[in-house]
Amino acid sequence: MQIDLNADLGEGSAHEEAVMASVTSANIACGGHAGDTETMRDSLRLAARFGVAAGAHPGFPDREGFGRRELHFPPAEVTVFVREQIEALKAVAAREGVQLCHVKPHGMLYNMAARDPALARAVAQAAADSGIGLYFGLAGRDSVMLREASALGLRALGEGFADRGYAPDGTLWPRGQAGDLLGAADAAAQGVRIAREGCTRAVTGQDIAVPAGTLCLHGDGSEAAALASELRRALQEAGVQVAAPA
């Protein structure tokens, strides 16, 4: 058994270096919901130092809401601003001698794309235009994100979430509602079950399929460093090899 362990980084967290030491992929904010040239450079350098695969983490251009507010744009505009964010990170990565390995949307853009084929296609089109061939999208037997990415020729990798609650349809439980975020112990247990069994339990009690090749934890919480370390330890103790996608 093998799984990638990724974290959303480059977002100004004080725990970034400690989180980077435990993960195998880093999704780096690239100027939409967070991030600027300096933070992108610093995150890329940390990823290189720890041997972590670096990827782009574009989101809604919504710094005030940290990309977690529901916004609506025509699909063509989404493709443009996502592509611009990816290209901004690519430019910094080129100067640092770092090869970008994947694209993963952020926050509400991700959640809305998981339900809306047109939005999913618009985001995936920007990734395809960038020439970065690996794309992280919500894991599921009928994942809209993975289907649209695959149709555009991307290698689509299903993503599970260790520290987020799930709805019974396999999407993420809305933020701000009870059960949306899991503590370190519960997140470690959920991450191990997703990695070993390809499933977890929804907030409402049903078991749901989560056929994931990469497992996410959020890097901006106060427990992020402890969670990253605990989750990696739990995966390894459960016999799961933790490694970036080949």
Side-chain angles (χ1 to χ4, degrees):
M1 290 178 289
Q2 177 176 313
I3 199 160
D4 175 46
L5 180 57
N6 78 73
D8 301 338
L9 296 169
E11 298 172 334
S13 168
H15 314 288
E16 177 150 332
E17 183 171 350
V19 173
M20 194 79 79
S22 295
V23 300
T24 48
S25 289
N27 320 309
I28 299 174
C30 38
H33 67 287
D36 56 26
T37 299
E38 184 176 352
T39 61
M40 286 186 263
R41 181 201 65 203
D42 291 347
S43 295
L44 288 163
R45 288 179 179 178
L46 277 176
R49 171 147 62 96
F50 286 103
V52 170
H57 193 42
F60 279 130
D62 176 30
R63 289 175 176 267
E64 182 180 351
F66 199 63
R68 289 175 175 162
R69 298 187 295 189
E70 186 167 320
L71 302 177
H72 297 275
F73 295 88
E77 289 186 24
V78 173
T79 298
V80 169
F81 71 66
V82 171
R83 184 168 55 225
E84 288 175 347
Q85 291 178 44
I86 297 171
E87 291 301 322
L89 183 63
K90 279 182 67 178
V92 180
R95 292 196 294 271
E96 295 296 320
V98 175
Q99 181 72 37
L100 296 183
C101 299
H102 65 275
V103 174
K104 175 198 164 176
H106 166 79
M108 188 56 72
L109 179 62
Y110 186 111
N111 292 339
M112 291 172 67
R115 295 181 169 91
D116 182 342
L119 183 58
R121 190 176 311 118
V123 178
Q125 183 64 63
D129 293 345
S130 76
I132 302 170
L134 179 60
Y135 186 84
F136 294 177
L138 187 68
R141 294 198 178 105
D142 188 30
S143 169
V144 173
M145 295 179 77
L146 300 185
R147 184 179 70 240
E148 296 298 334
S150 295
L152 290 168
L154 295 166
R155 178 187 170 202
L157 189 66
E159 180 178 38
F161 287 79
D163 57 358
R164 288 295 313 276
Y166 277 87
D169 65 355
T171 58
L172 299 179
W173 196 247
R175 281 186 178 268
Q177 296 189 17
D180 61 341
L181 293 171
L182 278 61
D186 289 338
Q190 176 160 282
V192 168
R193 190 174 183 209
I194 290 173
R196 286 181 58 88
E197 303 176 30
C199 65
T200 192
R201 181 158 294 181
V203 171
T204 46
Q206 305 95 323
D207 273 357
I208 55 170
V210 186
T214 185
L215 191 63
C216 177
L217 62 95
H218 289 84
D220 61 325
S222 60
E223 295 186 337
L227 171 58
S229 177
E230 171 65 15
L231 180 54
R232 180 147 189 174
R233 181 196 62 78
L235 288 165
Q236 292 171 333
E237 288 184 355
V240 179
Q241 180 182 1
V242 183

